[in-house]
Amino acid sequence: MSDTEKPAFDRVLLKISGEALMGDQGYGLHPPTVERIAREVKSVHDLGVEICMVIGGGNIFRGLAGAAQGMERTTADYMGMLATVMNALAVQSALEELGVFTRVISAIRMDEVAEPYIRRRAVRHLEKKRVCIFAAGTGNPYFTTDTAATLRANEMACQVIFKGTKVDGVYDKDPAKHPDAKRYDEVTYDECLQKHLGVMDASAIALARDNDLPIIVFSLDEPGGFRGILAGEGTYTRVHS
């Protein structure tokens, strides 16, 4: 895509899992991977696209897994929210190393490290071409970062959610385990729910459907994939009504 071409969207939300930041490690943060993702974000930011981000915390702590091991669910979920703040700060640092002004905005107040979530202030940051990373989920237990991403995308009037994953779209079954897995170019919200396709959790899909917010599922491991889709290139699945 040349710099003179207009990207397909003006304001987007990028949702990535915490696991995307750990590279080949089994846990934690892998700095070269964080830097690579930051460069992907910068390449889109350089086109003039306003970018929001939501990052999961599964590379550090997963609330549901903690609850399954006997921890009280609310406590486990709050621990997971704190993990998302750590990931957000890491990505902020990587982006600012590349010269991209970034704000971490937390749903749980922690004023020394992040701004509190105030919708109008966040919109103003976007208008000033700052990347906004929304951390700590919705601030409530029992809601995933997928739901937080859909909520923030609607509040920020984003035109689309980009869901970065390990695979290049939505499949009818796990392509890592089933060589005959079929990839969808397009799929409806209702099909995702009925067939349990695992794009996002049911609350997030329903919220996107009710507000007619499309979701593009693509591979975050494909270099230039994020920027390429904005130019109408690459392989991905579009989820819509």
Side-chain angles (χ1 to χ4, degrees):
M1 179 176 182
S2 71
D3 292 337
T4 57
E5 288 182 70
K6 182 173 168 53
F9 303 103
D10 299 315
R11 182 178 294 175
V12 306
L13 186 139
L14 173 63
K15 164 64 171 71
I16 61 176
S17 67
E19 288 89 343
L21 303 179
M22 66 188 187
D24 295 329
Q25 302 172 150
Y27 63 91
L29 290 155
H30 183 237
T33 301
V34 175
E35 183 187 349
R36 178 180 63 78
I37 290 171
R39 289 190 182 281
E40 291 279 324
V41 173
K42 181 182 186 300
S43 72
V44 172
H45 183 265
D46 287 347
L47 298 173
V49 178
E50 297 170 2
I51 302 172
C52 309
M53 294 182 70
V54 171
I55 307 167
N59 56 320
I60 298 170
F61 188 84
R62 187 174 287 283
L64 202 56
Q69 292 173 19
M71 188 177 290
E72 196 265 324
R73 173 69 190 268
T74 302
T75 300
D77 278 355
Y78 278 120
M79 291 173 69
M81 290 180 219
L82 295 177
T84 71
V85 177
M86 295 170 69
N87 285 339
L89 292 172
V91 173
Q92 178 188 40
S93 177
L95 282 167
E96 294 198 331
E97 282 287 319
L98 298 173
V100 179
F101 291 109
T102 308
R103 295 290 185 271
V104 173
I105 301 172
S106 173
I108 298 173
R109 288 195 75 105
M110 45 184 81
D111 296 346
E112 286 75 14
V113 297
E115 290 187 7
Y117 176 69
I118 300 170
R119 188 185 70 85
R120 286 179 179 273
R121 183 186 291 178
V123 169
R124 188 69 182 131
H125 286 319
L126 290 173
E127 290 170 350
K128 290 186 173 184
K129 305 302 180 187
R130 296 165 183 157
V131 172
C132 288
I133 307 178
F134 296 109
T138 65
N140 304 102
Y142 293 92
F143 290 92
T144 66
T145 49
D146 280 345
T147 303
T150 312
L151 174 65
R152 296 292 184 241
N154 281 307
E155 289 180 300
M156 294 296 106
C158 293
Q159 295 160 306
V160 65
I161 296 175
F162 279 83
K163 173 81 184 281
T165 68
K166 294 279 187 187
V167 292
D168 59 356
V170 179
Y171 286 78
D172 60 350
K173 47 195 169 185
D174 188 347
K177 298 176 183 173
H178 304 278
D180 62 336
K182 173 193 165 192
R183 190 181 68 78
Y184 297 95
D185 286 328
E186 295 187 8
V187 65
T188 67
Y189 304 114
D190 288 338
E191 283 179 299
C192 288
L193 293 170
Q194 291 162 6
K195 298 178 181 178
H196 304 286
L197 294 178
V199 177
M200 287 180 161
D201 66 78
S203 298
I205 292 290
L207 185 58
R209 178 189 61 191
D210 293 348
N211 293 278
D212 201 21
L213 179 66
I215 303 164
I216 289 177
V217 183
F218 72 106
S219 172
L220 203 61
D221 293 338
E222 186 69 35
F226 187 21
R227 181 181 170 116
I229 292 168
L230 285 157
E233 302 164 357
T235 305
Y236 57 90
T237 299
R238 184 183 179 94
V239 183
H240 57 92
S241 55

